[in-house]
Amino acid sequence: MLDLKLIRENPDFVQTKLNQRGGTYDISAIVSLDQQRRELEVERSQLQARSNEIGKLVGQKMKADPKSSEVQALRDEGNALKAKLSELEPREKDLREQIETQLLTFPNLPSETTPIGKDETENVEVKRWGDEFKPSIEVLPHYEIAEKMGIFNTERATKIAQSRFVILIGAGAALERALIQFMLNQQIAAGYVEVLPPVLINSRSMTATGQLPKFAEESFKCAEDDLWLAPTAEVPVTNLYRDEVITADQLPIYHCAYTPCFRREAGSYGRDTRGLIRLHQFNKVELVKLVSPETSEQEHQSLVQNAEAILEALKLPYRTVELCTGDLGFGAAKCYDLEVWLPSAGTYREISSCSNFMDFQARRGNIRFKAAGQKGTQFVHTLNGSGLAIGRTMAAILENYQQADGTVKIPEVLQPYLGRDVL
């Protein structure tokens, strides 16, 4: 959520930053509502002060002459003020609710170091790694080699559920499980504390991290409960600390979590209809950080490196791209995408998105910290990134490790988990 004080004091700056994202964001309605609310607050405060003053005067006059006309006049004025206040309070509450509703629809402001650009064509490649590991042979798409091996089935998944689901069988299921365990072990060794959270989460949690109200249509909701299927572990893990004040010595907080994730993929129909790239249900290991604002940028860089380390350990070619303002996710102030090489398509595809939300999520979720010796509190900065998306990692392995004889080598670091070196 954007800072209302910043909008009030520097609306031109906020509007300029929002314009950098593209789209049509207009803060004039919020500015107007806030002005009305503050004028109403001043009026209410003045009336309340006069009402309090009358209460004291009535007490004083009553001692001298309880039946005097002056006492009655004061009482009449006091009653009129109370009636007026009873009208103002709900109006003020309504304005507050309108402001909050408006604020929830606005994305985060891009950071000062985010490249300005209109769309993904203006993202900036900052790193490329592993060209020497790209296969020299022509390879089958991952879903074709997986089907030939009998480790992957979409027809039966469609029978059980619908399209955009997949069943992994035998070595396919084992490889998925091995990747999950390997990634968790790597991130725990890097200092993250593992969490296994609920994957059914309430609307307050979805709102705090920015999924609601904007992405309601892309999420799965339980019809009879205020519960949603988690689109990413970012949501439940960040919300562990919602409405809490953390002591400064608890920061930074690092968590990793494996969960299944659920997304409708609204607007993506016709794209990636085969294989593991775009599913309604997929597994992911997520990295979440809660840090102080002073270390936020440094922590973001290290989070990106933690995600990159998985790809490098698996010897999967990838590139790291810094997103421009026009391609930023709703809540991100700054973001790096890791894109893995898929040789069958001759292109890189996103496998991790590592975002710094600064205080955007913490403001929505009321997650604060208090430094020793300070009177007030500050909002933490939240960061997260995939470490990694499991299905896309499997797709990259099936293609980049594919051999001319139709087998697939197992990355060396995964061999102890699977007890084999080839599929």
Side-chain angles (χ1 to χ4, degrees), residues 367-381:
I367 308 172
R368 296 166 291 152
F369 76 100
K370 184 174 183 179
Q374 291 187 355
K375 291 184 178 179
T377 59
Q378 300 178 61
F379 290 108
V380 301
H381 280 197

Side-chain angles (χ1 to χ4, degrees), residues 56 79 216 221 260 304 312 342 367 419:
K56 292 179 182 178
N79 290 334
K221 186 176 183 181
V304 173
E312 293 178 13
L342 290 182
I367 308 172

Side-chain angles (χ1 to χ4, degrees), residues 70-178:
E70 193 174 1
V71 168
Q72 188 58 48
L74 286 170
R75 282 177 169 165
D76 291 344
E77 183 183 354
N79 290 334
L81 287 173
K82 288 178 181 177
K84 181 68 173 176
L85 284 167
S86 68
E87 294 175 7
L88 293 182
E89 287 169 356
R91 283 170 56 194
E92 191 177 353
K93 179 184 177 183
D94 179 61
L95 284 169
R96 283 200 191 95
E97 290 174 350
Q98 288 186 59
I99 291 167
E100 179 160 346
T101 299
Q102 288 269 338
L103 284 172
L104 289 174
T105 67
F106 282 87
N108 202 355
L109 303 182
S111 79
E112 292 300 318
T113 60
T114 297
I116 296 174
K118 64 179 184 302
D119 55 34
E120 62 182 11
T121 63
E122 299 190 46
N123 292 340
V124 180
E125 183 178 315
V126 296
K127 179 179 180 180
R128 188 174 290 217
W129 185 93
D131 281 353
E132 68 273 24
F133 299 118
K134 290 180 178 178
S136 58
I137 62 169
E138 186 174 342
V139 304
L140 293 174
H142 67 278
Y143 47 85
E144 288 189 17
I145 191 71
E147 285 172 352
K148 284 179 178 290
M149 291 179 169
I151 64 173
F152 174 102
N153 191 293
T154 55
E155 289 183 7
R156 287 192 169 112
T158 302
K159 178 173 66 175
I160 295 168
Q162 63 179 47
S163 62
R164 293 188 185 270
F165 288 86
V166 67
I167 295 172
L168 297 174
I169 303 165
L175 179 55
E176 180 100 349
R177 181 162 37 85

Side-chain angles (χ1 to χ4, degrees), residues 57-69:
L57 287 172
V58 167
Q60 294 169 2
K61 301 294 183 183
M62 285 283 289
K63 291 179 181 178
D65 185 359
K67 297 182 179 181
S68 71
S69 59

Side-chain angles (χ1 to χ4, degrees), residues 352-387:
S352 174
S353 190
C354 300
S355 300
N356 187 345
F357 298 91
M358 297 190 172
D359 65 0
F360 185 80
Q361 290 182 329
R363 193 176 295 278
R364 293 169 76 106
N366 192 30
I367 308 172
R368 296 166 291 152
F369 76 100
K370 184 174 183 179
Q374 291 187 355
K375 291 184 178 179
T377 59
Q378 300 178 61
F379 290 108
V380 301
H381 280 197
T382 62
L383 305 91
N384 66 57
S386 303

